[in-house]
Amino acid sequence: MKIAAIQMVSGQDAAANLAQALELIAQAAQAGAELVGLPEYFCLIGQHDGDKLAIQEPLGHGPLQDALSAAAKQHGIWLAGGTLPISASTPDHVFNTTLVWNPQGLQVARYDKIHLFAFDNGRENYDESRVLEAGRTPTVFELPSRDGHTWRVALSVCYDMRFPELYRKLQPDLIMAPSAFTHTTGQAHWEVLLRARAIENLAYLMAPAQGGLHPSGRRTWGQTLAIDPWGVVLAQQAESPGVVLADCDWQRVQQVREQLPALRHRVF
């Protein structure tokens, strides 16, 4: 199964960000991808945390959701929509939500980011809880690929990758981790965290990322990548918008799990 992780450098114009995302999705589909993933906050990285409240959508309908559903159907692909601001229980907060559409354009999975990022080193300060409501439900969905195999795909977002117990619970064959890692934390922790999650779960991993200097002045780490179940980086792009392609081989998953049967010894 060919997968495509899309890298973006999203700005403050949601319509422009969506247009670029749709162009990159089309490129991925033309390259033969069955599963395409957008990065976290693909639709907006604004000047202020609260900017995302202005483009929030109720679950099931809105310009962003409608466009991504149509793209999945048009191209006949599985599409994971990075994250979108989905309305929450109070008007001053939203969920940071990954939605997945099947090749018929139907929404088949929803994951609300559970672990909200906070970081303060005296120069940079982030606290997603100011405007995000935390999710509560770990999510995995089944993806029947064109070659007849059914993949268990675990959904997660960015900061989630620091919590390995989340993935152990889901027992995935493929992990999705759309992200907008800061440049500071990314250069220290990005690749080592992702490779660890792939290795300990003996699963493929794809991490579509924000990568570059944004109009808001924020700089994200980028390094969108795909990793195999042995921890080998299959494909990677440093910065700037683009499509990172990789092949996921079901036989490779089975081979690694037979050689190193770590998953048989789960305690939890």
Side-chain angles (χ1 to χ4, degrees):
M1 176 175 66
K2 187 179 292 294
I3 61 174
I6 290 175
Q7 184 159 281
M8 295 179 65
V9 189
S10 299
Q12 301 172 65
D13 184 334
N17 295 329
L18 176 60
Q20 182 178 63
L22 294 175
E23 290 179 6
L24 293 168
I25 290 167
Q27 290 179 28
Q30 291 166 8
E34 287 188 59
L35 171 62
V36 179
L38 292 168
E40 184 181 25
Y41 297 132
F42 87 91
C43 51
L44 184 76
I45 290 187
Q47 191 70 39
H48 306 287
D49 290 339
D51 291 349
K52 58 180 68 68
L53 298 175
I55 63 165
Q56 66 180 290
E57 298 180 356
L59 180 65
H61 181 68
L64 297 169
Q65 293 173 80
D66 294 348
L68 296 183
S69 171
K73 184 175 182 179
Q74 175 187 353
H75 299 296
I77 57 172
W78 294 80
L79 177 59
T83 64
L84 303 96
I86 297 297
S87 298
S89 59
T90 61
D92 58 348
H93 282 72
V94 291
F95 289 110
N96 194 22
T97 301
T98 296
L99 297 176
V100 180
W101 290 269
N102 69 12
Q104 291 73 48
L106 301 176
Q107 183 204 311
V108 295
R110 170 186 179 172
Y111 170 69
D112 300 323
K113 185 178 183 180
I114 292 174
H115 301 101
L116 302 184
F117 179 57
F119 177 67
D120 186 350
N121 64 357
R123 300 181 305 278
E124 302 168 86
N125 180 278
Y126 301 95
D127 185 353
E128 290 186 322
S129 67
R130 293 168 185 151
V131 295
L132 296 186
E133 183 171 327
R136 296 180 179 275
T137 307
T139 302
V140 65
F141 73 95
E142 292 191 344
L143 189 163
S145 58
R146 295 169 189 161
D147 62 6
H149 298 293
T150 298
W151 297 75
R152 284 179 58 83
V153 182
L155 298 179
S156 63
V157 177
C158 201
Y159 195 53
D160 284 329
M161 71 180 67
R162 295 184 182 271
F163 301 86
E165 63 273 15
L166 171 66
Y167 304 95
R168 282 296 208 191
K169 180 180 180 70
L170 296 175
Q171 301 183 37
D173 304 312
L174 170 63
I175 295 168
M176 300 199 70
S179 300
F181 246 60
T182 70
H183 191 271
T184 301
T185 57
Q187 62 185 335
H189 300 150
W190 170 254
E191 186 173 315
V192 68
L193 283 170
L194 291 172
R195 293 181 67 196
R197 299 296 83 85
I199 292 166
E200 66 200 11
N201 291 284
L202 302 176
Y204 282 95
L205 185 148
M206 61 184 291
Q210 294 282 351
L213 183 62
H214 301 264
S216 65
R218 177 176 176 179
R219 186 179 180 191
T220 47
W221 178 240
Q223 308 296 332
T224 287
L225 47 69
I227 302 169
D228 89 346
W230 199 248
V232 176
V233 176
L234 301 174
Q236 189 168 10
Q237 177 168 318
E239 290 188 331
S240 73
V243 177
V244 176
L245 296 163
D247 290 313
C248 295
D249 182 351
W250 180 260
Q251 299 303 321
R252 177 63 170 159
V253 175
Q254 301 308 306
Q255 177 192 49
V256 169
R257 291 179 179 176
E258 289 173 3
Q259 292 174 347
L260 184 68
L263 301 187
R264 297 179 192 171
H265 305 293
R266 297 180 187 273
V267 175
F268 304 105

